[in-house]
Amino acid sequence: MSEPVIAPAPKDFIREIVEEHNRTGRFGGRVRTRFPPEPNGYLHIGHAKAIAIDFGLARDYGGDCNLRFDDTNPVKEETEFVDAIMDSIRWLGWDWGDRLFFASDYFQQLYEWAQDLIRKGKAYVCDLSAEQVREYRGTLTEPGRNSPWRDRSVEENLDLFARMKAGEYPDGTRTLRAKIDMAHPNFNMRDPVMYRILHAEHHRTGGEWCIYPMYDWAHGQSDSIEGVTHSLCDLGYEDHRPLYEWFCNSLGIYCPQQIEFARLNVTYMILSKRHLRRMVQDGIVRGWDDPRMPTLVGMQRRGYTPAAINDFLERVGVSKANTTVDIQLLEHCVREDLNRRAPRVMGVLRPLKVVITNWPAGEVEWVEAVNNPEDEAMGTRRIPFSGELYIERDDYREDVPKGWFRLGPGREVRLKHGYYIRCDEAVRDAQGEVIELRCTYDPESGGGTTPDGRMVKGTLHWVSASHAIDAEVRLYDLLFTKADPNDVADGEDFTANVNAQSLTVLAGCKVEPGLAEAKGGDRFQFLRQGYFCLDPDSQPGLLVFNRTVGLKDTWAKLQKK
RNA sequence: UCGGGGGUCGUUCAACGGCAGGACAGCAGCCUUUGGAGCUGCGUAUCGGGGUUCGAAUCCCUGCCCCCGAGCCA
């Protein structure tokens, strides 16, 4: 697979099963998986887990993984989503080669197979309304009743089914159903609907069809056609496995092995396409790629890397237990990755001017600064030091509490990569607000120390006033819900539980001149403040602050509430 | 109530009849030319009750708890 290189995943229960199959020769040692998204939204980190499992398994066992869009419900699906999904999978580092498929490619085959089932007396056209079907289905404890249309002749069924396809009937008036067992304890086996009538434009087949296959009637057969060996899906499909197998076996076609695993849940994170779509539709966020969104495109804009996400997924592991992972694990992975690879730069969010009174007038010294103290290979950069600088407003206090090592009246600090400065005087405006600090520097403190071995405990970041570029910094908090994401209900209550408003724009920030040459999407670590990402879609100088990753204790505080 | 699936530190994943371990979180300390980093240290977790066994998280019986399932969604 393409970079980043992802190490083989540790053994999990799925791999045990695959190895057992390899030992017994069930699939002749072959492994073929598939990732089958419905193109009705953007991918989020929950999908990334399925992707890592599907593609990772194939890679580690010398097989391959197909990308197949499960596009059997035209009213929800769009080409925009198809493209976005492919982009996100590639971004994560996976490659499906030339094995791109669509369930809609199989509509004709599925139709013919349905006719086979009718001829075998295993499917029938049912005239019951949706409501009636529900009534006939029975309940958890009571068996269902047979549809009055269950025993039509093969000829009549074939004829009616052909007319359904021909568009002779309105939506919802008839269905094709599998004839299984209305008393089966598993609802999926109580004569499930195979086709519904839907006069709708499909994003790929247009108006060619007016009957569309249901998930159960399409999925297993699609897997079978593609020669999939292991069809991995989430726990929600456990009850569907008997039907999956019933269809393949009734058709007499090759039957893959369906294996279910637990989907990913993360504390505070909304991982439901239905809810995320609503966030977008209602304008609560700016789009699927809003940095607050838990979508992969959103995380990409936040500055999360594929490597960090894949690392997270690997640490989460795979099991059948229904669990919720602490969001702090994700953020640890992102922080660890970014700390290693993000170049450091300096910038001040709320500038306070510093004038160095003994600095030679008009002189500029270009000092050398390491880009990443943990990785020499990242090199150095030259940054301008001059007689007028900006420091962080928070780095100066009149009342210096115990343990305060930063600037205060008469205090001396080190400027990162620069010199020691001592604060001589604070200039105030009419309101008494400090607007400027007048300081003196020690010319002998260039290397960060002085010949007399004087110790300063504080080190501040800064930028040269005349060289700094203006930046707008946007502070985003990850979209989160205070409620258990699984309890988030539909309706008004939902948005009330979401912190979607947490976008803060800080104008007038000053950053190092070198940032102007950076490309959108580049990640930086601002000293002390955390991680920033140049917004790929905006003008240079616009920075997205990855607040939850930069501020480690955000979630910890939340948890204490 | 019927069917399916789960139950191991706070969280998550291991251990597959042989000393219950890792990661994250947390706590304590150290360190630092800012890194919310790093280093060091800290652990009474096998749902309960029986049974088999020299030995059980693991096998058997039994009870309890949790999740999913009654779309012409996927």
Side-chain angles (χ1 to χ4, degrees), chain A residues 186-432:
Chain A
N186 181 343
F187 281 105
N188 295 306
M189 304 299 271
R190 318 243 263 225
D191 289 11
V193 171
M194 294 164 61
Y195 277 98
R196 75 279 216 184
I197 299 173
L198 203 54
H199 293 267
E201 282 283 303
H202 185 280
H203 70 106
R204 292 188 78 243
T205 61
E208 192 182 339
W209 295 85
C210 65
I211 56 172
Y212 289 95
M214 300 293 292
Y215 164 86
D216 286 304
W217 173 244
H219 203 90
Q221 286 65 261
S222 301
D223 284 346
S224 180
I225 291 168
E226 294 175 16
V228 166
T229 55
H230 304 274
S231 181
L232 313 177
C233 58
D234 76 66
L235 259 22
Y237 294 96
E238 283 172 324
D239 287 346
H240 292 252
R241 188 171 359 109
L243 181 54
Y244 183 111
E245 291 169 355
W246 188 91
F247 278 136
C248 285
N249 295 150
S250 298
L251 251 19
I253 59 175
Y254 159 75
C255 189
Q257 176 66 54
Q258 175 178 304
I259 301 170
E260 311 86 10
F261 60 87
R263 55 186 297 160
L264 177 68
N265 292 300
V266 182
T267 54
Y268 305 113
M269 220 181 243
I270 299 158
L271 295 182
S272 142
K273 245 194 241 176
R274 184 169 57 106
H275 290 134
L276 295 178
R277 187 180 308 116
R278 204 178 140 206
M279 299 275 95
V280 174
Q281 281 170 354
D282 293 359
I284 291 173
V285 292
R286 297 172 169 197
W288 290 94
D289 67 343
D290 187 300
R292 289 167 290 190
M293 292 282 274
T295 52
L296 294 171
V297 283
M299 290 184 169
Q300 186 173 1
R301 279 189 68 189
R302 279 177 91 67
Y304 286 26
T305 62
I309 291 172
N310 287 320
D311 179 38
F312 166 70
L313 263 9
E314 187 172 303
R315 295 198 203 201
V316 164
V318 182
S319 74
K320 296 190 76 142
N322 210 300
T323 56
T324 301
V325 177
D326 193 331
I327 193 166
Q328 293 193 85
L329 178 60
L330 203 214
E331 302 200 331
H332 168 83
C333 294
V334 177
R335 212 179 291 123
E336 186 178 72
D337 181 57
L338 257 27
N339 189 43
R340 192 163 6 92
R341 72 206 304 166
R344 308 284 118 134
V345 293
M346 295 197 289
V348 300
L349 264 21
R350 301 169 200 281
L352 174 60
K353 188 172 240 182
V354 167
V355 175
I356 301 175
T357 52
N358 61 335
W359 185 264
E363 195 167 300
V364 175
E365 179 181 343
W366 290 79
V367 298
E368 190 159 51
V370 294
N371 289 327
N372 187 327
E374 297 185 20
D375 182 6
E376 267 187 34
M378 290 183 71
T380 61
R381 68 190 183 287
R382 291 194 164 276
I383 49 179
F385 189 97
S386 65
E388 290 197 3
L389 312 170
Y390 288 117
I391 64 164
E392 206 68 62
R393 192 160 281 279
D394 296 348
D395 283 343
Y396 173 80
R397 287 185 66 156
E398 299 268 277
D399 54 321
V400 286
K402 277 202 172 52
W404 176 264
F405 299 132
R406 294 181 246 167
L407 222 41
R411 312 267 301 211
E412 187 171 45
V413 297
R414 177 188 298 112
L415 292 180
K416 181 78 179 167
H417 307 304
Y419 295 89
Y420 285 17
I421 58 167
R422 182 181 306 278
C423 177
D424 303 317
E425 185 193 348
V427 181
R428 295 160 186 285
D429 63 11
Q431 284 73 251

Side-chain angles (χ1 to χ4, degrees), chain A residues 63-83:
Chain A
D64 39 39
C65 178
N66 296 352
L67 171 59
R68 181 179 72 242
F69 287 93
D70 245 339
D71 54 350
T72 57
N73 186 3
V75 300
K76 285 184 166 180
E77 298 152 5
E78 292 173 32
T79 303
E80 175 200 348
F81 298 136
V82 171
D83 297 336

Side-chain angles (χ1 to χ4, degrees), chain A residues 80-101:
Chain A
E80 175 200 348
F81 298 136
V82 171
D83 297 336
I85 288 168
M86 292 197 288
D87 287 345
S88 285
I89 299 171
R90 285 194 205 96
W91 180 67
L92 286 173
W94 303 105
D95 181 11
W96 55 89
D98 57 359
R99 296 177 313 284
L100 169 64
F101 305 102

Side-chain angles (χ1 to χ4, degrees), chain A residues 109-128:
Chain A
Q109 174 66 265
L110 255 13
Y111 177 74
E112 288 167 21
W113 273 338
Q115 290 176 315
D116 279 357
L117 244 37
I118 291 173
R119 286 187 204 99
K120 287 176 176 169
K122 293 185 174 191
Y124 62 97
V125 171
C126 178
D127 299 359
L128 255 27

